[in-house]
Amino acid sequence: MSTNETSSNSNVFGKGQILESTLFLPKEKDVLNVILQDEQSYTVEDAKELLVLFLNKEVI
């Protein structure tokens, strides 16, 4: 395992842990509940990035 993988794996959280955190507002947690996968792990930065990408999507 490379050092990048080790450092990136040190702060990963499951969907439930992210939804229980105080880092996100309740309305952000509602969106994250929809866009995050149950089986995957995310860093806080990953969750924030996915949230921004989702909120900035063009509506068709």
Side-chain angles (χ1 to χ4, degrees):
M1 193 182 298
S2 71
T3 52
N4 287 344
E5 290 175 353
T6 303
S7 63
S8 66
N9 288 339
S10 62
N11 292 320
V12 294
F13 305 97
K15 178 179 176 178
Q17 291 174 305
I18 290 174
L19 295 177
E20 291 175 4
S21 76
T22 58
L23 298 174
F24 298 98
L25 298 173
K27 63 182 179 180
E28 293 173 326
K29 290 179 183 181
D30 289 341
V31 175
L32 288 170
N33 190 34
V34 173
I35 62 175
L36 298 181
Q37 301 295 318
D38 291 332
E39 307 82 27
Q40 285 196 322
S41 297
Y42 303 90
T43 64
V44 173
E45 292 79 20
D46 289 341
K48 288 180 181 180
E49 183 178 324
L50 289 169
L51 182 63
V52 169
L53 288 172
F54 182 84
L55 294 176
N56 290 327
K57 272 188 177 177
E58 184 178 339
V59 178
I60 300 174

